[in-house]
Amino acid sequence: MQRSLSSGQGGLSHLDIDCKEALQQLLRPSYYGIINPWMGSASTRQKQDMILLKKRMEEADRPGKNPYLMADVGKIQITSNPWGRERESNVIPVTADRIQADLLRNQSGAEQRD
């Protein structure tokens, strides 16, 4: 049974209203036209997932929660080499092929002694 969602906010449950608000924040305005048809065919679980996605997105936007936000960049110490390449100070500079060689040596047991 599908109900019509085009008649304003009347007859919608709190889940429907919250889901519609979440989709309006997650989607571009050019996609707003697909919200009502999708909500008519979506299950309760799918609507709850959209609300949860919106909450997770809001949590990631708060300073201090996401280490890659600009608010946290000042806390990361950066070191530059003579050629200008930057890295975090707590990272040991090792080339990818050295890491691969060490990994293969450790897996093959070449460093193990009886």
Side-chain angles (χ1 to χ4, degrees), residues 9-87:
Q9 298 293 332
L12 296 179
S13 67
H14 289 288
L15 177 68
D16 291 334
I17 294 169
D18 292 343
C19 181
K20 189 170 187 175
E21 289 174 3
L23 288 170
Q24 287 175 344
Q25 289 184 357
L26 293 170
L27 297 175
R28 294 180 182 163
S30 59
Y31 293 113
Y32 285 178
I34 63 170
I35 292 175
N36 286 340
W38 180 83
M39 287 187 56
S41 64
S43 68
T44 302
R45 179 67 186 172
Q46 290 172 327
K47 292 176 185 178
Q48 291 170 343
D49 287 343
M50 289 299 114
I51 295 169
L52 183 64
L53 179 63
K54 176 190 157 219
K55 288 179 183 177
R56 295 293 180 251
M57 188 179 77
E58 288 172 349
E59 288 174 2
D61 286 340
R62 289 192 206 127
K65 288 281 189 179
N66 189 341
Y68 299 105
L69 289 178
M70 294 303 292
D72 293 333
V73 169
K75 299 175 187 173
I76 301 171
Q77 294 180 354
I78 303 294
T79 304
S80 295
N81 68 9
W83 299 277
R85 175 140 181 169
E86 296 179 344
R87 64 175 173 83

Coordinates of all heavy atoms in Angstrom, one line a residue, residues 9-87:
Q9 N 2.6 18.0 4.4 CA 3.1 17.2 5.6 C 2.0 16.4 6.2 O 2.2 15.7 7.1 CB 3.8 18.1 6.6 CG 5.0 18.9 6.1 CD 6.1 17.9 5.8 OE1 6.3 16.9 6.4 NE2 7.0 18.3 4.8
G10 N 0.7 16.6 5.8 CA -0.4 15.9 6.4 C -0.3 14.4 6.2 O -0.1 13.9 5.1
G11 N -0.6 13.6 7.2 CA -0.6 12.2 7.1 C 0.7 11.5 7.1 O 0.8 10.3 7.0
L12 N 1.8 12.2 7.3 CA 3.2 11.6 7.3 C 3.6 11.3 8.7 O 3.3 12.1 9.6 CB 4.2 12.6 6.7 CG 4.0 12.9 5.2 CD1 5.1 13.9 4.8 CD2 4.1 11.6 4.4
S13 N 4.2 10.2 8.9 CA 4.7 9.9 10.2 C 6.0 10.6 10.5 O 6.6 11.3 9.6 CB 5.0 8.4 10.3 OG 6.1 8.0 9.5
H14 N 6.4 10.6 11.8 CA 7.7 11.2 12.1 C 8.9 10.7 11.3 O 9.8 11.4 11.0 CB 8.0 11.1 13.6 CG 7.0 11.9 14.5 ND1 7.1 13.3 14.5 CD2 6.0 11.6 15.3 CE1 6.2 13.7 15.3 NE2 5.5 12.7 15.8
L15 N 8.8 9.4 11.1 CA 9.9 8.7 10.3 C 9.9 9.3 8.9 O 11.0 9.6 8.4 CB 9.6 7.2 10.3 CG 10.6 6.4 9.4 CD1 12.0 6.5 10.1 CD2 10.2 5.0 9.3
D16 N 8.7 9.5 8.3 CA 8.7 10.0 6.9 C 9.2 11.5 6.9 O 10.0 11.8 6.0 CB 7.3 10.0 6.4 CG 6.8 8.6 6.1 OD1 7.6 7.7 5.9 OD2 5.6 8.3 6.2
I17 N 8.8 12.2 7.9 CA 9.3 13.6 7.9 C 10.8 13.7 8.1 O 11.5 14.5 7.4 CB 8.5 14.4 9.0 CG1 7.0 14.5 8.7 CG2 9.1 15.8 9.2 CD1 6.1 15.0 9.8
D18 N 11.3 13.0 9.1 CA 12.7 13.0 9.3 C 13.5 12.5 8.1 O 14.6 13.0 7.8 CB 13.1 12.1 10.5 CG 12.5 12.7 11.8 OD1 12.2 13.9 11.9 OD2 12.5 12.0 12.9
C19 N 13.0 11.4 7.5 CA 13.7 10.9 6.3 C 13.7 11.9 5.2 O 14.7 12.1 4.5 CB 13.0 9.6 5.8 SG 13.7 8.9 4.4
K20 N 12.6 12.6 5.0 CA 12.5 13.6 3.9 C 13.5 14.8 4.2 O 14.2 15.2 3.3 CB 11.1 14.2 3.8 CG 10.9 15.0 2.6 CD 9.4 15.3 2.4 CE 9.2 16.1 1.1 NZ 7.8 16.3 0.8
E21 N 13.6 15.2 5.4 CA 14.5 16.2 5.8 C 16.0 15.8 5.6 O 16.8 16.5 5.1 CB 14.3 16.7 7.2 CG 13.1 17.4 7.5 CD 12.8 17.7 9.0 OE1 13.7 17.3 9.8 OE2 11.8 18.3 9.3
A22 N 16.2 14.5 5.9 CA 17.6 13.9 5.7 C 17.9 13.9 4.3 O 19.0 14.3 3.9 CB 17.6 12.5 6.3
L23 N 17.0 13.5 3.4 CA 17.3 13.4 2.0 C 17.5 14.8 1.4 O 18.3 14.9 0.5 CB 16.1 12.7 1.3 CG 16.1 11.1 1.5 CD1 14.8 10.6 1.0 CD2 17.3 10.5 0.9
Q24 N 16.8 15.8 1.9 CA 16.9 17.1 1.4 C 18.3 17.7 1.8 O 18.9 18.5 1.1 CB 15.8 18.0 1.9 CG 14.5 17.8 1.2 CD 13.4 18.6 1.8 OE1 13.5 19.1 2.9 NE2 12.2 18.6 1.1
Q25 N 18.9 17.2 2.9 CA 20.2 17.7 3.3 C 21.3 16.9 2.5 O 22.4 17.4 2.3 CB 20.4 17.6 4.8 CG 19.6 18.6 5.5 CD 19.8 18.6 7.0 OE1 20.6 17.7 7.5 NE2 19.2 19.5 7.7
L26 N 21.0 15.6 2.2 CA 22.0 14.8 1.6 C 22.1 15.0 0.1 O 23.2 14.8 -0.5 CB 21.7 13.3 1.9 CG 21.8 12.9 3.3 CD1 21.3 11.5 3.5 CD2 23.3 12.9 3.8
L27 N 20.9 15.3 -0.6 CA 20.9 15.3 -2.0 C 21.0 16.8 -2.5 O 20.7 17.7 -1.8 CB 19.6 14.8 -2.5 CG 19.3 13.3 -2.2 CD1 17.9 12.9 -2.7 CD2 20.3 12.4 -2.9
R28 N 21.4 16.9 -3.8 CA 21.4 18.2 -4.4 C 20.0 18.6 -4.7 O 19.1 17.8 -4.9 CB 22.2 18.1 -5.7 CG 23.6 17.8 -5.6 CD 24.3 17.7 -6.9 NE 25.7 17.4 -6.8 CZ 26.4 16.9 -7.7 NH1 26.0 16.8 -8.9 NH2 27.7 16.7 -7.5
P29 N 19.8 19.9 -4.8 CA 18.4 20.4 -5.0 C 17.8 19.9 -6.4 O 16.6 19.6 -6.5 CB 18.5 21.9 -5.1 CG 19.7 22.2 -4.2 CD 20.6 21.0 -4.4
S30 N 18.7 19.6 -7.3 CA 18.2 19.1 -8.6 C 17.6 17.6 -8.5 O 16.8 17.2 -9.3 CB 19.3 19.1 -9.7 OG 20.4 18.3 -9.2
Y31 N 17.9 17.0 -7.4 CA 17.4 15.6 -7.2 C 16.2 15.6 -6.2 O 15.7 14.5 -5.9 CB 18.5 14.7 -6.6 CG 19.6 14.4 -7.6 CD1 20.8 14.9 -7.4 CD2 19.3 13.7 -8.8 CE1 21.8 14.7 -8.3 CE2 20.3 13.4 -9.7 CZ 21.6 13.9 -9.5 OH 22.6 13.7 -10.4
Y32 N 15.7 16.7 -5.8 CA 14.6 16.7 -4.8 C 13.3 16.1 -5.4 O 12.5 15.6 -4.7 CB 14.2 18.2 -4.4 CG 15.2 18.8 -3.4 CD1 15.1 20.1 -3.0 CD2 16.3 18.0 -2.9 CE1 16.0 20.6 -2.1 CE2 17.2 18.6 -2.0 CZ 17.0 19.9 -1.6 OH 17.9 20.5 -0.7
G33 N 13.2 16.1 -6.7 CA 12.0 15.5 -7.3 C 11.9 14.0 -7.2 O 10.8 13.4 -7.3
I34 N 13.0 13.3 -6.9 CA 12.9 11.9 -6.7 C 12.6 11.4 -5.3 O 12.5 10.3 -5.0 CB 14.2 11.2 -7.2 CG1 15.4 11.6 -6.4 CG2 14.4 11.4 -8.7 CD1 16.6 10.8 -6.7
I35 N 12.6 12.4 -4.3 CA 12.4 12.1 -2.9 C 11.0 11.4 -2.7 O 10.9 10.4 -2.1 CB 12.6 13.3 -2.0 CG1 14.1 13.7 -2.1 CG2 12.2 13.0 -0.6 CD1 14.4 15.0 -1.3
N36 N 10.0 12.1 -3.2 CA 8.6 11.6 -2.9 C 8.4 10.2 -3.5 O 7.9 9.3 -2.9 CB 7.6 12.6 -3.4 CG 7.5 13.8 -2.5 OD1 7.9 13.7 -1.3 ND2 6.9 14.9 -3.0
P37 N 8.8 10.0 -4.8 CA 8.6 8.6 -5.3 C 9.4 7.6 -4.6 O 8.9 6.4 -4.3 CB 9.1 8.7 -6.8 CG 9.0 10.2 -7.1 CD 9.2 10.9 -5.8
W38 N 10.6 7.9 -4.2 CA 11.4 7.0 -3.4 C 10.8 6.6 -2.1 O 10.8 5.5 -1.7 CB 12.9 7.5 -3.3 CG 13.7 6.5 -2.5 CD1 14.4 5.5 -3.0 CD2 14.0 6.5 -1.1 NE1 15.1 4.8 -2.0 CE2 14.8 5.4 -0.8 CE3 13.6 7.3 0.0 CZ2 15.3 5.1 0.4 CZ3 14.0 7.0 1.2 CH2 14.9 5.9 1.5
M39 N 10.3 7.7 -1.4 CA 9.7 7.4 -0.1 C 8.5 6.6 -0.2 O 8.2 5.9 0.8 CB 9.5 8.8 0.6 CG 10.7 9.4 1.1 SD 10.5 10.9 2.1 CE 9.5 10.3 3.4
G40 N 7.8 6.7 -1.3 CA 6.6 5.9 -1.5 C 6.9 4.4 -1.6 O 6.1 3.6 -1.2
S41 N 8.1 4.1 -2.1 CA 8.4 2.7 -2.3 C 9.4 2.2 -1.3 O 9.7 1.0 -1.3 CB 9.0 2.5 -3.7 OG 10.2 3.2 -3.9
A42 N 10.0 3.0 -0.5 CA 11.1 2.6 0.5 C 10.5 1.9 1.7 O 9.4 2.3 2.1 CB 11.9 3.8 0.9
S43 N 11.2 1.0 2.2 CA 10.8 0.3 3.4 C 11.2 1.2 4.6 O 11.9 2.2 4.5 CB 11.6 -1.0 3.5 OG 12.9 -0.8 3.7
T44 N 10.7 0.8 5.8 CA 11.0 1.5 7.0 C 12.5 1.5 7.3 O 13.1 2.4 7.7 CB 10.2 0.8 8.2 OG1 8.8 0.9 7.9 CG2 10.5 1.6 9.5
R45 N 13.1 0.3 7.1 CA 14.5 0.2 7.3 C 15.3 1.1 6.4 O 16.3 1.7 6.9 CB 15.0 -1.3 7.1 CG 16.4 -1.5 7.3 CD 16.8 -1.3 8.7 NE 18.2 -1.4 8.8 CZ 18.9 -1.2 9.9 NH1 18.3 -0.8 11.0 NH2 20.2 -1.3 9.9
Q46 N 15.0 1.3 5.2 CA 15.7 2.2 4.3 C 15.5 3.6 4.7 O 16.5 4.4 4.7 CB 15.1 2.0 2.8 CG 15.5 0.7 2.2 CD 14.8 0.5 0.9 OE1 13.7 0.9 0.7 NE2 15.5 -0.2 0.0
K47 N 14.4 4.0 5.2 CA 14.2 5.3 5.7 C 15.0 5.6 7.0 O 15.6 6.6 7.1 CB 12.7 5.6 6.0 CG 11.8 5.6 4.7 CD 10.4 5.7 5.1 CE 9.5 5.6 3.8 NZ 8.1 5.7 4.1
Q48 N 15.1 4.6 7.8 CA 15.9 4.7 9.0 C 17.4 4.8 8.7 O 18.1 5.6 9.3 CB 15.7 3.5 10.0 CG 14.3 3.5 10.6 CD 14.0 2.2 11.3 OE1 14.7 1.2 11.1 NE2 13.0 2.2 12.2
D49 N 17.8 4.1 7.6 CA 19.2 4.2 7.2 C 19.5 5.6 6.7 O 20.6 6.1 6.9 CB 19.5 3.2 6.1 CG 19.5 1.7 6.6 OD1 19.7 1.6 7.9 OD2 19.4 0.8 5.8
M50 N 18.6 6.2 6.0 CA 18.8 7.6 5.5 C 19.0 8.6 6.7 O 19.8 9.5 6.7 CB 17.7 8.1 4.6 CG 17.7 7.4 3.2 SD 19.2 7.7 2.3 CE 19.8 6.0 2.2
I51 N 18.2 8.4 7.7 CA 18.3 9.3 8.9 C 19.6 9.0 9.6 O 20.3 10.0 10.0 CB 17.1 9.0 9.8 CG1 15.8 9.4 9.1 CG2 17.2 9.7 11.1 CD1 14.5 9.0 9.8
L52 N 20.0 7.8 9.7 CA 21.3 7.4 10.3 C 22.4 8.0 9.5 O 23.4 8.5 10.1 CB 21.4 5.9 10.4 CG 22.7 5.4 11.2 CD1 22.7 5.9 12.6 CD2 22.7 3.9 11.1
L53 N 22.4 8.0 8.2 CA 23.4 8.5 7.4 C 23.5 10.0 7.6 O 24.6 10.5 7.7 CB 23.1 8.2 5.9 CG 24.1 8.8 4.9 CD1 25.5 8.1 5.1 CD2 23.6 8.5 3.5
K54 N 22.4 10.7 7.7 CA 22.4 12.1 8.0 C 23.1 12.4 9.3 O 23.9 13.3 9.4 CB 21.0 12.7 8.0 CG 21.0 14.2 8.3 CD 19.5 14.6 8.5 CE 19.5 15.8 9.4 NZ 18.4 15.8 10.4
K55 N 22.8 11.6 10.3 CA 23.4 11.8 11.6 C 24.9 11.6 11.6 O 25.7 12.3 12.2 CB 22.8 10.9 12.7 CG 21.4 11.3 13.0 CD 20.8 10.3 14.0 CE 19.3 10.7 14.4 NZ 18.7 9.7 15.3
R56 N 25.3 10.6 10.9 CA 26.8 10.3 10.8 C 27.5 11.4 10.0 O 28.6 11.8 10.4 CB 27.0 9.0 10.0 CG 26.5 7.8 10.8 CD 27.3 7.5 12.1 NE 26.8 6.4 12.8 CZ 26.1 6.4 13.9 NH1 25.9 7.6 14.5 NH2 25.7 5.3 14.5
M57 N 26.8 11.9 9.0 CA 27.4 13.0 8.3 C 27.6 14.3 9.1 O 28.6 15.0 9.1 CB 26.6 13.4 7.0 CG 27.2 14.4 6.1 SD 26.2 14.7 4.7 CE 25.0 15.8 5.4
E58 N 26.6 14.6 10.0 CA 26.7 15.7 10.9 C 27.8 15.5 11.9 O 28.4 16.5 12.3 CB 25.3 15.9 11.6 CG 24.2 16.5 10.7 CD 22.9 16.5 11.3 OE1 22.7 15.9 12.4 OE2 22.0 17.1 10.7
E59 N 27.9 14.3 12.4 CA 29.0 14.0 13.4 C 30.4 14.2 12.8 O 31.3 14.7 13.4 CB 28.8 12.6 13.9 CG 27.7 12.4 14.8 CD 27.5 10.9 15.2 OE1 28.4 10.1 14.8 OE2 26.6 10.6 16.0
A60 N 30.5 13.8 11.5 CA 31.8 14.0 10.9 C 32.2 15.4 10.6 O 33.3 15.8 10.5 CB 31.8 13.2 9.5
D61 N 31.2 16.3 10.6 CA 31.4 17.7 10.3 C 31.8 18.5 11.6 O 32.2 19.6 11.5 CB 30.2 18.4 9.7 CG 30.0 18.0 8.2 OD1 31.0 17.5 7.6 OD2 28.9 18.2 7.7
R62 N 31.7 17.9 12.7 CA 32.0 18.6 14.0 C 33.5 18.6 14.2 O 34.1 17.5 14.1 CB 31.3 17.9 15.2 CG 29.8 18.1 15.2 CD 29.3 17.7 16.5 NE 27.9 17.3 16.3 CZ 27.3 16.2 16.6 NH1 28.0 15.3 17.3 NH2 26.0 16.0 16.4
P63 N 34.1 19.7 14.6 CA 35.5 19.7 14.8 C 35.9 18.8 16.0 O 35.2 18.7 17.0 CB 35.8 21.2 15.2 CG 34.6 22.0 14.6 CD 33.5 21.0 14.6
G64 N 37.0 18.1 15.8 CA 37.5 17.2 16.9 C 37.0 15.8 16.7 O 37.6 14.9 17.2
K65 N 36.0 15.6 15.9 CA 35.5 14.2 15.7 C 36.3 13.6 14.5 O 36.5 12.4 14.5 CB 34.0 14.2 15.4 CG 33.2 14.5 16.5 CD 33.0 13.3 17.4 CE 32.0 13.4 18.4 NZ 31.9 12.2 19.2
N66 N 36.6 14.4 13.5 CA 37.2 13.9 12.3 C 38.6 14.4 12.2 O 38.8 15.6 12.1 CB 36.4 14.4 11.0 CG 36.8 13.7 9.8 OD1 37.9 13.2 9.7 ND2 35.9 13.7 8.8
P67 N 39.6 13.5 12.2 CA 41.0 14.0 12.2 C 41.4 14.7 10.9 O 42.5 15.3 10.9 CB 41.8 12.7 12.4 CG 40.9 11.6 11.9 CD 39.5 12.1 12.2
Y68 N 40.7 14.6 9.9 CA 41.1 15.2 8.6 C 40.5 16.6 8.4 O 40.7 17.2 7.4 CB 40.7 14.3 7.4 CG 41.4 13.0 7.6 CD1 40.8 11.9 7.9 CD2 42.8 12.9 7.3 CE1 41.4 10.7 8.1 CE2 43.5 11.7 7.4 CZ 42.8 10.6 7.8 OH 43.5 9.4 7.9
L69 N 39.7 17.1 9.4 CA 39.1 18.5 9.3 C 40.2 19.5 9.5 O 41.2 19.3 10.2 CB 38.0 18.7 10.3 CG 36.7 17.9 9.9 CD1 35.7 18.1 11.0 CD2 36.2 18.3 8.6
M70 N 40.0 20.7 9.0 CA 41.0 21.8 9.2 C 41.2 22.2 10.6 O 42.2 22.6 11.0 CB 40.5 23.0 8.4 CG 40.5 22.8 6.9 SD 42.1 22.3 6.2 CE 43.1 23.8 6.5
A71 N 40.2 22.0 11.5 CA 40.3 22.3 12.9 C 41.4 21.5 13.6 O 42.0 21.9 14.5 CB 39.0 22.2 13.6
D72 N 41.6 20.3 13.1 CA 42.6 19.4 13.7 C 44.0 19.4 13.0 O 44.9 18.8 13.5 CB 42.1 17.9 13.7 CG 40.9 17.8 14.5 OD1 40.7 18.5 15.5 OD2 40.1 16.9 14.3
V73 N 44.1 20.1 11.9 CA 45.3 20.1 11.2 C 46.4 20.8 12.0 O 47.6 20.4 11.9 CB 45.1 20.8 9.8 CG1 46.4 21.1 9.1 CG2 44.2 20.0 8.9
G74 N 46.1 21.8 12.8 CA 47.1 22.5 13.6 C 47.8 21.6 14.6 O 48.9 21.8 15.1
K75 N 47.1 20.5 15.0 CA 47.7 19.6 16.0 C 48.7 18.6 15.4 O 49.4 17.9 16.1 CB 46.5 18.8 16.6 CG 45.5 19.6 17.3 CD 44.4 18.8 17.9 CE 43.3 19.7 18.4 NZ 42.1 19.0 18.8
I76 N 48.7 18.4 14.0 CA 49.5 17.5 13.4 C 50.9 18.1 13.0 O 50.9 19.2 12.4 CB 48.9 16.9 12.1 CG1 47.5 16.3 12.4 CG2 49.8 16.0 11.3 CD1 46.7 15.9 11.2
Q77 N 52.0 17.5 13.5 CA 53.3 18.1 13.2 C 53.7 17.6 11.8 O 53.7 16.4 11.5 CB 54.3 17.7 14.2 CG 54.0 18.3 15.6 CD 55.0 17.9 16.6 OE1 55.9 17.1 16.4 NE2 54.9 18.5 17.8
I78 N 54.2 18.5 11.0 CA 54.6 18.2 9.6 C 56.1 18.5 9.5 O 56.6 19.5 10.0 CB 53.8 19.1 8.6 CG1 52.3 19.0 8.7 CG2 54.3 18.8 7.2 CD1 51.8 17.6 8.3
T79 N 56.8 17.5 8.8 CA 58.2 17.7 8.5 C 58.4 17.7 7.0 O 57.7 16.9 6.3 CB 58.9 16.5 9.1 OG1 58.7 16.4 10.5 CG2 60.4 16.6 8.9
S80 N 59.2 18.6 6.5 CA 59.6 18.7 5.1 C 61.0 18.2 4.8 O 61.9 18.5 5.6 CB 59.4 20.1 4.6 OG 58.1 20.6 4.7
N81 N 61.2 17.5 3.7 CA 62.5 17.1 3.4 C 63.1 18.2 2.5 O 62.5 19.2 2.2 CB 62.5 15.7 2.6 CG 61.9 15.7 1.3 OD1 61.5 16.8 0.7 ND2 61.6 14.6 0.7
P82 N 64.4 18.1 2.1 CA 65.1 19.1 1.4 C 64.4 19.4 0.0 O 64.6 20.5 -0.5 CB 66.5 18.6 1.2 CG 66.7 17.6 2.3 CD 65.4 17.0 2.5
W83 N 63.6 18.5 -0.5 CA 63.0 18.7 -1.8 C 61.6 19.2 -1.7 O 60.9 19.4 -2.7 CB 63.0 17.4 -2.6 CG 64.4 17.0 -2.9 CD1 65.2 17.4 -3.9 CD2 65.1 16.1 -2.1 NE1 66.5 16.8 -3.8 CE2 66.4 16.0 -2.7 CE3 64.9 15.3 -1.0 CZ2 67.4 15.1 -2.1 CZ3 65.9 14.5 -0.4 CH2 67.1 14.4 -1.0
G84 N 61.1 19.5 -0.4 CA 59.8 20.0 -0.2 C 58.7 19.0 0.0 O 57.5 19.4 0.2
R85 N 59.0 17.8 0.0 CA 57.9 16.8 0.2 C 57.6 16.8 1.7 O 58.5 16.7 2.6 CB 58.4 15.4 -0.2 CG 57.4 14.3 0.2 CD 57.3 13.3 -0.9 NE 56.3 12.4 -0.4 CZ 55.8 11.5 -1.2 NH1 56.1 11.4 -2.4 NH2 54.9 10.7 -0.7
E86 N 56.3 16.8 2.0 CA 55.9 16.9 3.4 C 55.3 15.6 3.9 O 54.8 14.8 3.1 CB 54.8 18.0 3.6 CG 55.3 19.4 3.3 CD 54.2 20.4 3.4 OE1 53.0 20.1 3.5 OE2 54.6 21.6 3.5
R87 N 55.5 15.3 5.2 CA 55.0 14.1 5.8 C 54.7 14.4 7.3 O 55.3 15.4 7.8 CB 55.9 12.9 5.7 CG 57.2 13.1 6.4 CD 58.1 11.9 6.4 NE 59.4 12.1 6.9 CZ 59.7 12.1 8.2 NH1 58.8 11.7 9.1 NH2 60.9 12.3 8.7

